[in-house]
Amino acid sequence: MRPEKTDLRREAGQRTRDDLLAAALELLAQRGQEGVTLREITQKAGANVAAVSYHFGSLKALCDAAIEHALERYLDAQIRELEALAGSATLGDLAEAFARPMVSALAAGGRDLAVIRTVARVGIDPPEGWENLAGKFERARRHAVRVLAAHLPETDERELVFRVRCAAGMLNWLALAPIGAELGGEPAERVERMLIPVVAGAFQGAR
């Protein structure tokens, strides 16, 4: 087979794989893993059942790959924001960085929102393979705790970690709750103005 034909077949295969992941991600965001069928995914992706077997092996493996893709994409975005914080960052700065991937997704809609909703669903009910990304979860948490500790030196680390996890849980809830749908499509600046003080309050705690 000529090299150019091999390249075209490889590109077509990658497109099919990407389309299957995108379709699975959108359906997972809507209904969770228990509500997704192989037929729905293949119809949405314009692919056949054999393509799922070829690229992933099974429906479960496809869903697991889509979930891991969503989690990794979300965590990478959050880590970039947190790592960019200066040493003088305030709790408001921390809240803004921590929530920005969610804010951006709510404002953008489409696939970005599907990613966030998938992350939210698995955050409530972690799937197998969750531990594969434990290092990234820990990295994001460590950056957040570093800023919190500078502002709340009398609060022990265990409680600071608890506050970070609570803030993450609140964002997950927002992505799935009716109030999140109400914010969907609003300008990012408005979503930030409404959401950031709430997240900062969760970090601050009672004084």
Side-chain angles (χ1 to χ4, degrees), residues 4-5 15 24 29 32 45 53 90 92 111 127 138-140 147 150 161 201 204:
E4 59 268 25
K5 286 191 175 181
R15 281 197 301 273
S53 297
T90 66
R111 188 171 185 184
E138 176 57 29
R139 190 170 159 193
V147 177
V161 169
Q204 176 72 62

Side-chain angles (χ1 to χ4, degrees), residues 37-73:
T37 68
L38 186 58
R39 181 179 295 277
E40 285 178 305
I41 291 175
T42 53
Q43 285 180 344
K44 195 168 195 61
N48 56 44
V49 173
V52 175
S53 297
Y54 177 78
H55 289 289
F56 300 97
S58 67
L59 171 61
K60 182 181 183 304
L62 168 56
C63 289
D64 288 347
I67 288 169
E68 187 164 340
H69 168 78
L71 282 169
E72 193 157 19
R73 182 172 166 182

